[in-house]
Amino acid sequence: MTSQVSSPAEQADEAVVGEQRKAAGAKDVRRLDRVIIRFAGDSGDGMQLTGDRFTSETASFGNDLSTLPNFPAEIRAPAGTLPGVSSFQLHFADHDILTPGDAPNVLVAMNPAALKANIGDLPRGAEIIVNTDEFTKRAMQKVGYAESPLEDGSLDGYSLHPVPLTTLTVEALKEFDLSRKEAERSKNMFALGLLSWMYHRPTEGTERFLASKFAKKPEIMKANLAAFRAGWNFGETTEDFAVSYEVAPAATAFPVGTYRNISGNLALSYGLVTASRQADLPLYLGSYPITPASDILHELSKHKNFGVRTFQAEDEIAGIGAALGAAFGGSLAVTTTSGPGVALKSETIGLAVSLELPLLVIDIQRGGPSTGLPTKTEQADLLQAMFGRNGEAPVPVIAPCTPADCFDAALEAARIALTYRTPVMLLSDGYLANGSEPWRIPELDELPDLTVQFAQGPNHTLEDGTEVFWPYKRDPQTLARPWAVPGTPGLEHRIGGIEKQDGTGNISYDPANHDFMVRTRQAKIDGIDVPDVEVDDPHEARTLVLGWGSTYGPITAAVRRLRAAGESIAQAHLRHLNPFPRNLGTVLQRYDKVVIPEMNLGQLATLIRAKYLVDAHSYNQVNGMPFKAEQLATALKEAIDG
């Protein structure tokens, strides 16, 4: 779904049309600057699809947005239980926003479990739309309700809208040749239609989506369309919803351009394809499915027309082995995984360090250890990325900060891998991978040139005048060795995991040579050209908050809140974690206090303390969810005052 940011004149015309629409309607229409909606239900209720469709229409309307899909950790938890609750939160606004929001203004609860699992996050006065058909005695007892929360007064502090969604959906679909169970499955479309009416969302895109998705099942397609329209009409006609809301497009939040809603995994996929085109190399993905990285494999498999080859291996080790072989053969090679897969791939990453071949290792972090929390987010693989191999095996590490930034991070990872002939670790996480936001589609002339020069002939002259090819003769600037494609005449050379002799690449057990090669590989990584870290410090603060990865949104939102309250605080965010930006030490020394919020137990803080001897203060959370802005603002205020 793409949208074009309109001109001021077009925005004025839209405002006139909006006023005319209000005048024509009998119900009150209120203007809001932002809204946070959470759809919640059983994992079979289609909440992710409902949230995704609402998000797509919101993106096409031109709002800024941020989403937080939250999946059950179990593949199929028992229906109607708390572990089986699936939710999708969307924050959209008429201005620039950074997070999915701390507390929903609206909760759509499809059953008692969804209500109980989410009610604690709602502020007083929030709107709750509940599917009353599911509030049976058995369903309520299953989650610990002795009495109906719809009748015992416990929800008196909220604006409660009891709606028999299942009954209304079945009634709307009675003309179709469907069983009651089949008809009930469309209740999420009824809810989507109702919310689309409440917030004046476009409907054309959803109708096109349903027509396409169920093109081979015309009766199901018609039923879903009917349920969606029935939900819209219910909002229009029922007396229970006397007010609808408008959130204007975020016209001033974005530069003019063509935008689309994009998730982190999709942005990474597009970034990888773009990198291969900019490098004029075929893209090869060797991977094994693992949550939450599998979507990259699914997406790249669709792009054979761009020279993309995807290989779903029998396990993680085979996936990276195939990718490293493709790198040897001259491809832009990628392997994707999550934390447990990185552990299995570690030996081959070490081999890639020894072979000095470009390889992108993409780790979509999730809660651990072991299988841990497959569908939840965490930032706890940083030290594994830095040190999780035997021997001295340094690799560059970079981390995107938003879903859209995953596109640029993929390009940057490819630049480093191709320029310096090294494996690169890219650390995204489940929050970025599944979350989404608007992304401006770049122009071609904005993309970096990643063209690679393969070795074409001899590069060294022996004492007797013979010209030979030395596979480990290095570029004096980057310390990268030449990349020779197999089959190039005269460039035959040895590869393998045993230590190489400097220059010739022959097997060497010489202690002095090993010392030299270890230090040279480290110097190559240390010498990678990365931009200086930028500091946002408008008031010469004494406290700096330093972050990395997906904490960018919550940290920035918290900093904005503090500054709006008159507090002085500086902010910096790291994309490059190995090597660190060259000015980072100087930046850290300027501040009395450095606070590092992380979704782990202090891994970046450990690195910062060790390298710069700075008494960095950790603020940590490892509950499988991203930070909330208010939570961080409180912690940072305490740091400022302490």
Side-chain angles (χ1 to χ4, degrees):
M1 181 70 69
T2 60
S3 62
Q4 190 79 21
V5 174
S6 54
S7 67
E10 291 169 329
Q11 294 162 25
D13 291 340
E14 291 168 1
V16 171
V17 172
E19 293 300 323
Q20 291 173 343
R21 186 172 69 234
K22 291 180 190 178
K27 294 190 176 184
D28 184 22
V29 180
R30 296 179 188 172
R31 175 66 64 87
L32 302 175
D33 64 347
R34 68 186 185 97
V35 174
I36 303 168
I37 298 175
R38 183 181 296 176
F39 299 92
D42 195 67
S43 58
D45 284 338
M47 294 296 93
Q48 302 304 322
L49 175 62
T50 305
D52 183 68
R53 288 314 314 159
F54 196 94
T55 299
S56 293
E57 298 296 4
T58 297
S60 69
F61 189 70
N63 296 117
D64 193 12
L65 61 89
S66 179
T67 68
L68 178 61
N70 189 11
F71 307 94
E74 298 182 33
I75 293 176
R76 189 65 177 97
T81 63
L82 293 176
V85 174
S86 174
S87 67
F88 188 105
Q89 184 162 307
L90 166 67
H91 183 191
F92 62 102
D94 65 2
H95 57 277
D96 174 36
I97 58 174
L98 298 156
T99 74
D102 288 355
N105 307 114
V106 182
L107 171 66
V108 179
M110 303 297 281
N111 59 20
L115 178 65
K116 187 159 191 176
N118 292 282
I119 190 67
D121 292 336
L122 269 63
R124 290 291 175 173
E127 294 193 75
I128 304 175
I129 301 171
V130 295
N131 179 15
T132 56
D133 289 325
E134 294 297 322
F135 279 72
T136 63
K137 185 175 182 180
R138 181 182 178 188
M140 289 187 290
Q141 288 177 341
K142 191 180 291 188
V143 295
Y145 281 128
E147 298 181 44
S148 172
L150 309 183
E151 300 171 356
D152 64 4
S154 61
L155 301 179
D156 288 349
Y158 305 95
S159 178
L160 181 64
H161 301 279
V163 180
L165 285 171
T166 306
T167 299
L168 290 170
T169 302
V170 172
E171 179 66 20
L173 304 184
K174 62 183 180 181
E175 65 183 84
F176 297 95
D177 185 22
L178 299 173
S179 67
R180 180 179 177 87
K181 186 175 182 180
E182 289 173 327
E184 288 179 359
R185 290 174 183 163
S186 296
K187 63 182 180 288
N188 63 324
M189 288 297 105
F190 189 100
L192 177 60
L194 173 58
L195 269 293
S196 297
W197 172 83
M198 282 184 65
Y199 291 96
H200 296 268
R201 298 296 91 185
T203 60
E204 296 81 3
T206 294
E207 295 197 355
R208 287 194 301 270
F209 169 82
L210 292 173
S212 173
K213 181 176 179 63
F214 299 107
K216 296 181 179 179
K217 299 179 179 179
E219 195 72 5
I220 300 296
M221 175 191 69
K222 294 175 184 177
N224 277 286
L225 284 170
F228 177 65
R229 292 164 181 165
W232 177 284
N233 293 334
F234 177 77
E236 186 75 26
T237 57
T238 184
E239 295 181 1
D240 192 39
F241 293 92
V243 179
S244 64
Y245 305 92
E246 281 192 348
V247 180
T252 60
F254 307 114
V256 174
T258 301
Y259 287 78
R260 61 157 294 155
N261 181 49
I262 201 165
S263 68
N265 274 351
L266 184 58
L268 260 175
S269 301
Y270 287 175
L272 293 171
V273 174
T274 302
S276 75
R277 294 298 83 206
Q278 293 302 108
D280 195 24
L281 297 174
L283 179 65
Y284 184 94
L285 173 66
S287 185
Y288 180 76
I290 183 172
T291 302
S294 300
D295 285 342
I296 302 174
L297 171 61
H298 301 159
E299 181 61 33
L300 289 180
S301 68
K302 303 174 184 177
H303 297 291
K304 297 179 179 65
N305 56 313
F306 287 113
V308 178
R309 288 175 289 176
T310 53
F311 169 54
Q312 181 174 320
E314 66 268 29
D315 56 39
E316 296 281 5
I317 299 171
I320 189 173
L324 185 57
F328 177 62
S331 292
L332 176 59
V334 185
T335 190
T336 53
T337 190
S338 190
V342 174
L344 292 167
K345 295 178 189 290
S346 62
E347 184 178 7
T348 307
I349 297 173
L351 176 60
V353 171
S354 176
L355 300 183
E356 300 190 43
L357 286 170
L359 174 68
L360 304 186
V361 182
I362 296 176
D363 176 7
I364 313 297
Q365 300 167 96
R366 72 189 203 188
S370 189
T371 305
L373 306 174
T375 63
K376 309 300 180 182
T377 195
E378 205 164 274
Q379 285 184 300
D381 294 351
L382 176 56
L383 294 183
Q384 180 178 222
M386 288 287 293
F387 307 118
R389 294 160 297 282
N390 65 293
E392 296 288 346
V395 298
V397 181
I398 71 170
C401 63
T402 69
D405 186 51
C406 290
F407 177 86
D408 296 315
L411 288 170
E412 175 65 356
R415 177 191 73 86
I416 293 173
L418 295 172
T419 302
Y420 296 90
R421 310 286 195 266
T422 178
V424 176
M425 294 283 295
L426 188 153
L427 297 181
S428 179
D429 60 44
Y431 173 38
L432 295 184
N434 297 315
S436 64
E437 66 176 352
W439 170 59
R440 187 180 70 84
I441 301 172
E443 301 295 334
L444 288 177
D445 59 7
E446 298 173 353
L447 300 173
D449 181 6
L450 301 178
T451 305
V452 174
Q453 295 296 326
F454 290 112
Q456 298 297 325
N459 61 358
H460 184 75
T461 303
L462 300 177
E463 292 182 0
D464 62 3
T466 304
E467 292 186 340
V468 297
F469 174 67
W470 274 14
Y472 281 82
K473 185 169 185 176
R474 302 179 183 278
D475 181 291
Q477 298 298 318
T478 65
L479 298 183
R481 77 174 187 88
W483 193 2
V485 177
T488 306
L491 302 191
E492 296 84 1
H493 58 284
R494 184 191 304 272
I495 63 169
I498 299 178
E499 182 64 282
K500 316 293 185 300
Q501 185 181 56
D502 177 43
T504 68
N506 295 330
I507 291 174
S508 173
Y509 297 101
D510 178 63
N513 178 78
H514 177 61
D515 183 274
F516 177 80
M517 293 294 278
V518 166
R519 295 180 186 275
T520 300
R521 286 188 289 262
Q522 183 65 58
K524 181 174 70 169
I525 303 306
D526 292 342
I528 291 173
D529 182 25
V530 303
D532 284 349
V533 63
E534 297 181 359
V535 183
D536 177 18
D537 186 3
H539 302 112
E540 297 185 0
R542 299 178 62 187
T543 300
L544 171 72
V545 54
L546 179 68
W548 69 279
S550 66
T551 57
Y552 173 78
I555 289 174
T556 307
V559 167
R560 288 182 180 179
R561 294 188 186 196
L562 289 172
R563 290 176 180 171
E567 300 292 341
S568 179
I569 187 167
Q571 178 187 1
H573 207 79
L574 294 174
R575 161 173 284 180
H576 296 88
L577 299 159
N578 191 35
F580 285 130
R582 286 175 175 77
N583 69 329
L584 180 58
T586 303
V587 166
L588 295 173
Q589 294 296 333
R590 295 207 305 256
Y591 296 93
D592 296 339
K593 295 179 182 177
V594 177
V595 182
I596 305 179
E598 298 181 78
M599 292 187 293
N600 56 47
L601 295 183
Q603 297 189 13
L604 176 62
T606 297
L607 296 175
I608 293 294
R609 291 188 189 110
K611 185 172 180 65
Y612 299 106
L613 304 181
V614 169
D615 185 20
H617 300 270
S618 284
Y619 182 75
N620 308 115
Q621 172 177 297
V622 280
N623 61 7
M625 297 295 289
F627 284 111
K628 293 181 177 180
E630 185 62 32
Q631 166 195 3
L632 279 181
T634 300
L636 295 176
K637 178 67 166 63
E638 292 174 355
I640 293 171
D641 295 340

